[in-house]
Amino acid sequence: MAEEPLLMNFSLGNDAILVQPKFKGGRWRERRGLRKATGPTGVNTDSILERHSKRQKTGNSDGPTRSIDYQRRTGLRHGVISSLFSYNPKIQSVTDRAEQESTTLPSNAPLVDGIDTFTSLGLSPIIASHLLTKLDIKAPTAIQKTTISRLLSGDTDALIQAETGSGKTLAYLLPIVQRIVQISEQKSKNGNDTNYQIHRDSGLFAIILAPTRELSKQISVVLDSLLGCARWIVSGTVIGGEKRKSEKARLRKGLNILVATPGRLVDHLEHTEVLDVSNVRWLVLDEGDRLMELGFEDDIKKILDKLEQKKGKSGAISDLPSKRTTILCSATMKTNVHKLGEISLKDAIHIQAEADAQQLLQEPTTSTDPIFSAPAQLQQSYIVAPAKQRLVTLYAILKRSFSHKGSVMKAMIFFTCADSVNFHYEVFARKVGQQNTSQLSDSTPELPTQCHSSVLSSVNNPDIMLYKLYGNLTQQMRTATLKAFSRNPNPSILLCTDVASRGLDLPSMDLVIEYDPAFSAEEHLHRIGRTARAGRDGRAIVFLLPGPEELYIPTLKHGFKDKRVNGSLSEDILRKAFAPAIASQTRETWEDNATGWQLEIERWLQSDSKIADLARKAYVSHVRAYSTHVVPERHIFNVKELHLGHLAKAFALRDQPSNMGRGGKGDEGKQDTGKHKGRNRDRSRNPAASDIDNARNSAPDPKEAARQMRKALNAMNPASEFNIA
């Protein structure tokens, strides 16, 4: 007998089956209260809101109306509770919250106006007049005054040490150009014919080595503008990222002064027969400490050997100096700079600005303890911000800085990795008219990465432009971005990695923000040196986390004439930026407004899977980069002290990504497999770059770590010698 089906003769009401909603974020007691208060019609949050209203201590009594608005702002109606201001670690450092104006006189400003100042140093009237009329340079800086006179008086090697922004580039370019002009004038006088002047076929007389492509380009621009008074002298560049064929054609036509990166110059010395270095009499090593840090020691040795082998083997011009002069420039005197000096310099003189030398006599220090590494007029400050408040605090600073027209024209924000640059770029530029910024293509040289920022723009500054710069961009894109950022007359912000920290002279740079602290104290000095250049004022702000990172504050004071460094708390910044304009007409508080902005970004991530994936990649890359600080500072920046859950809030993530140790997600949201498993996807494109990370983290001995890093850098393709940032 077949079994009969069981029939149920009772009915279910519409409200009998309930789905318990999930609540994320906030305090666990609040989440528990919301779950208990869940009823047939949804979520009843009146009790939670009532307790929150009491905590706000506001005098108005219209609680129910505020509760509805508060639900809409903070996302309680969607089952989300913000926790920006709860369970943050206690701040231990004593901060000086008063913003004080610096009265210190600029230490890198030009000295005395007048054309006679340059001529008295030994420069020809033609060059001095060109500096005044065409380049608007009225007087030399202290380091230029000392260097020009010393280099023109003899052919000895020199080690130039000066603070950032003091004009070191012109300090070594002017003597070289002056000597070549003198040789040209002498040949013209003896031959009584202008055809005997030096021209591009006369040979290569000077080589200038720089660690990065951007710095090489900038030196080339300064040199070209200086050679406007001597058109017969021809300069050029050979750098990574450019086509070798076009560079060979340039070398075949002939150059008198060559600006190059070490890797590409070694490549041409080995494979380009038309490159003749027999007449080279001046070799400049700019940013010597960075050259050593990037592992160019072997390349520099090869270049020096080639110069010695080829010396005088072709028809040298008789008026050239008999020996080669090598000039080493550095803002710091670290151990690796001394090592580079031992390799390249012979009987060198140490050149410093007169003020620096006098201070050195009054306060003697060791060779590794530089004096005046940063300009005296630079106003430096720090902000202690809990991890959950970092993103909204950065927005608050930018919003306040650009609130008044003309107060800040140009700003730079430094991050430790390219993924973080991309994520924050999208956050602050998520609308361009009616389209998303992700529609802009990085592969179009004519269209640098820029857009109008709807987040930061205001009535006073409606056209704030955003740019991004990091090593993995194409060379054409990097060049176009820097050019557009420098020439833009409107307020602009550059989001970048350390690829922009060395040597770049960007006009009207008013503010530098180190959102992620530098990997070393020396790199910090170079970052903040992008502002307060040539006697101009400038500000620098460093973000620090509560806890061990507060031990970094004494390092910020190092190298400053004025040891006072102003500090503030993130809540002070948020209170000023998010306080209601008319408090009597609204019950909204600055905490509510800051929370509302944070939740807006979080909802945006939830609605866009590509942006959410970008945020996760940025989070993972940031944590990995955090572990690469130099050994002496790892007790300050200890990755084990990071609260990974709180840090996720800084990337608008509501949960810590679950794939921290497995290399991130791919473009389709799938986990990477195969040979790229366990690597950052950006690093997997260049295996040598992953070896650099391994070298940083694996060897506890600093010397062994440096050796492994140099080995990894040398294994990289010369065309991508600085694509690691």
Side-chain angles (χ1 to χ4, degrees):
M1 180 178 179
E3 296 183 359
E4 296 183 358
L6 179 63
L7 299 178
M8 307 295 291
N9 60 355
F10 56 88
S11 62
L12 298 176
N14 294 332
D15 299 331
I17 300 177
L18 302 177
V19 178
Q20 183 75 11
K22 294 183 179 180
F23 302 99
K24 297 181 180 180
R27 300 180 180 180
W28 69 272
R29 286 194 180 92
E30 294 180 348
R31 294 198 301 268
R32 183 182 63 181
L34 287 174
R35 284 194 293 268
K36 290 182 177 180
T38 301
T41 59
V43 179
N44 182 6
T45 60
D46 290 343
S47 59
I48 303 298
L49 294 174
E50 184 179 356
R51 293 201 305 270
H52 189 84
S53 299
K54 293 178 180 179
R55 196 157 43 87
Q56 297 299 328
K57 297 181 181 179
T58 53
N60 210 334
S61 60
D62 51 350
T65 303
R66 179 185 182 279
S67 297
I68 297 174
D69 294 338
Y70 187 77
Q71 292 180 55
R72 187 176 298 110
R73 284 197 317 275
T74 61
L76 281 171
R77 294 167 62 91
H78 302 282
V80 178
I81 304 173
S82 175
S83 57
L84 288 181
F85 302 95
S86 61
Y87 293 106
N88 287 320
K90 185 178 180 181
I91 298 174
Q92 301 294 333
S93 61
V94 179
T95 58
D96 180 12
R97 306 186 191 184
E99 296 181 0
Q100 303 178 6
E101 294 293 334
S102 174
T103 58
T104 306
L105 295 177
S107 59
N108 56 7
L111 300 176
V112 182
D113 292 348
I115 189 173
D116 293 336
T117 305
F118 278 110
T119 55
S120 62
L121 297 179
L123 296 180
S124 64
I126 295 177
I127 296 178
S129 177
H130 180 74
L131 291 172
L132 179 62
T133 58
K134 300 299 183 181
L135 304 184
D136 196 25
I137 301 176
K138 300 178 181 180
T141 63
I143 189 62
Q144 290 172 356
K145 177 182 177 181
T146 306
T147 303
I148 292 172
S149 59
R150 298 290 292 274
L151 292 183
L152 289 179
S153 61
D155 296 329
T156 59
D157 293 352
L159 171 59
I160 302 176
Q161 180 189 3
E163 64 191 33
T164 58
S166 58
K168 291 192 296 293
T169 303
L170 277 179
Y172 62 72
L173 284 180
L174 284 171
I176 294 174
V177 173
Q178 172 65 29
R179 296 291 296 274
I180 297 176
V181 169
Q182 286 179 341
I183 295 171
S184 180
E185 291 176 348
Q186 185 68 23
K187 291 187 71 64
S188 176
K189 182 179 179 180
N190 295 339
N192 196 23
D193 189 348
T194 56
N195 291 333
Y196 286 94
Q197 288 183 347
I198 285 178
H199 47 81
R200 67 188 312 161
D201 295 333
S202 301
L204 180 62
F205 304 132
I207 295 177
I208 302 169
L209 295 179
T212 68
R213 306 171 192 173
E214 281 70 30
L215 181 55
S216 299
K217 287 280 188 179
Q218 178 177 286
I219 295 173
S220 178
V221 171
V222 175
L223 180 59
D224 289 341
S225 62
L226 180 59
L227 292 179
C229 63
R231 298 291 185 183
W232 59 90
I233 302 176
V234 181
S235 65
T237 60
V238 289
I239 60 176
E242 300 288 349
K243 294 181 179 179
R244 289 180 174 82
K245 186 176 181 180
S246 60
E247 290 180 345
K248 287 184 178 180
R250 206 176 304 141
L251 294 172
R252 190 176 294 109
K253 290 181 180 179
L255 297 173
N256 305 125
I257 303 176
L258 179 63
V259 183
T261 50
R264 182 53 66 92
L265 179 59
V266 169
D267 181 64
H268 281 291
L269 287 173
E270 294 176 348
H271 302 100
T272 305
E273 296 181 359
V274 295
L275 178 57
D276 183 11
V277 295
S278 59
N279 290 332
V280 172
R281 293 297 182 269
W282 292 276
L283 174 65
V284 180
L285 307 175
D286 203 353
E287 297 288 349
D289 54 344
R290 189 62 171 171
L291 286 170
M292 296 295 284
E293 288 174 1
L294 292 180
F296 290 127
E297 179 181 348
D298 292 340
D299 289 336
I300 293 175
K301 288 181 179 179
K302 292 179 181 179
I303 294 171
L304 292 172
D305 291 342
K306 283 287 185 180
L307 293 178
E308 290 295 328
Q309 294 173 8
K310 299 290 185 179
K311 183 178 179 180
K313 287 195 174 182
S314 65
I317 298 177
S318 59
D319 295 325
L320 285 174
S322 58
K323 58 168 293 191
R324 185 185 73 248
T325 298
T326 303
I327 303 170
L328 174 60
C329 302
S330 179
T332 59
M333 292 297 296
K334 300 194 303 183
T335 304
N336 56 10
V337 177
H338 286 280
K339 185 177 180 180
L340 181 58
E342 293 174 357
I343 297 172
S344 58
L345 304 179
K346 297 179 181 179
D347 300 326
I349 58 175
H350 188 190
I351 300 179
Q352 287 181 298
E354 293 180 358
D356 292 356
Q358 293 176 3
Q359 182 69 14
L360 186 61
L361 293 176
Q362 297 174 5
E363 300 179 9
T365 59
T366 63
S367 59
T368 58
D369 189 15
I371 291 292
F372 300 151
S373 296
Q377 75 275 17
L378 175 62
Q379 298 180 31
Q380 187 177 203
S381 61
Y382 63 90
I383 295 175
V384 182
K388 293 189 292 186
Q389 298 177 7
R390 276 169 56 87
L391 182 60
V392 67
T393 303
L394 177 60
Y395 165 77
I397 290 176
L398 294 175
K399 193 69 174 178
R400 281 177 53 81
S401 299
F402 288 93
S403 60
H404 302 290
K405 188 174 183 179
S407 58
V408 174
M409 289 300 298
K410 298 291 179 65
M412 295 179 71
I413 308 175
F414 282 98
F415 301 87
T416 55
C417 53
D419 288 335
S420 191
V421 171
N422 285 327
F423 168 70
H424 289 89
Y425 176 82
E426 295 291 342
V427 168
F428 294 119
R430 55 187 182 275
K431 290 182 181 179
V432 185
Q434 300 298 325
Q435 62 179 355
N436 189 281
T437 58
S438 59
Q439 297 175 4
L440 297 178
S441 174
D442 290 346
S443 61
T444 308
E446 296 79 8
L447 181 61
T449 310
Q450 59 182 2
C451 67
H452 294 280
S453 172
S454 61
V455 177
L456 299 172
S457 298
S458 62
V459 177
N460 295 328
N461 283 322
D463 297 325
I464 298 177
M465 308 292 289
L466 287 182
Y467 301 82
K468 61 180 177 180
L469 181 68
Y470 49 85
N472 286 338
L473 293 175
T474 64
Q475 184 57 47
Q476 288 181 325
M477 192 61 192
R478 289 160 65 173
T479 303
T481 297
L482 277 178
K483 183 182 295 185
F485 178 72
S486 301
R487 296 181 179 180
N488 188 357
N490 297 321
S492 307
I493 303 173
L494 178 65
L495 284 69
C496 58
T497 60
D498 285 336
V499 73
S501 66
R502 296 289 183 129
L504 296 184
D505 188 11
L506 303 173
S508 303
M509 184 58 63
D510 302 309
L511 176 63
V512 171
I513 299 176
E514 286 188 89
Y515 188 66
D516 298 332
F519 292 120
S520 64
E522 291 79 10
E523 196 65 35
H524 158 73
L525 292 174
H526 284 283
R527 281 180 171 187
I528 63 178
R530 297 315 98 213
T531 185
R533 301 179 68 84
R536 297 187 296 267
D537 294 332
R539 290 191 299 138
I541 302 174
V542 183
F543 273 67
L544 299 175
L545 293 173
E549 287 193 14
E550 297 177 64
L551 300 175
Y552 193 64
I553 295 174
T555 305
L556 300 178
K557 302 177 182 180
H558 178 73
F560 279 85
K561 192 174 187 178
D562 186 357
K563 298 297 183 181
R564 184 182 68 249
V565 178
N566 295 331
S568 57
L569 305 179
S570 59
E571 293 193 1
D572 295 338
I573 305 297
L574 297 177
R575 183 182 293 107
K576 295 176 182 179
F578 288 99
I582 305 177
S584 60
Q585 294 185 4
T586 178
R587 290 183 56 87
E588 294 182 2
T589 65
W590 61 272
E591 286 190 9
D592 298 342
N593 294 334
T595 298
W597 188 87
Q598 175 76 21
L599 287 172
E600 179 186 349
I601 305 299
E602 294 179 13
R603 295 192 197 99
W604 176 52
L605 259 67
Q606 287 187 331
S607 63
D608 193 328
S609 59
K610 291 184 178 179
I611 299 298
D613 184 61
L614 186 61
R616 286 188 288 268
K617 288 177 58 180
Y619 175 89
V620 174
S621 298
H622 173 81
V623 174
R624 289 177 176 173
Y626 194 88
S627 63
T628 62
H629 283 269
V630 293
V631 174
E633 297 179 5
R634 286 189 182 175
H635 69 286
I636 300 176
F637 302 99
N638 187 356
V639 69
K640 296 181 180 179
E641 296 291 335
L642 286 179
H643 193 303
L644 299 181
H646 286 190
L647 186 62
K649 197 80 172 177
F651 294 88
L653 298 171
R654 292 176 177 165
D655 297 297
Q656 172 189 340
S658 58
N659 56 342
M660 286 294 296
R662 300 195 298 271
K665 293 185 176 181
D667 293 337
E668 295 82 19
K670 298 181 179 179
Q671 183 179 331
D672 289 340
T673 57
K675 65 178 181 179
H676 299 322
K677 186 176 181 180
R679 295 180 182 176
N680 187 345
R681 296 183 68 253
D682 286 343
R683 297 288 187 178
S684 66
R685 299 173 187 168
N686 192 342
S690 293
D691 294 338
I692 293 172
D693 285 341
N694 297 333
R696 277 176 169 167
N697 299 326
S698 61
D701 183 16
K703 294 183 179 180
E704 179 64 18
R707 188 191 67 80
Q708 292 184 14
M709 186 177 296
R710 286 194 298 270
K711 180 180 178 181
L713 282 164
N714 292 334
M716 296 178 69
N717 190 320
S720 60
E721 61 190 11
F722 203 67
N723 277 353
I724 61 174

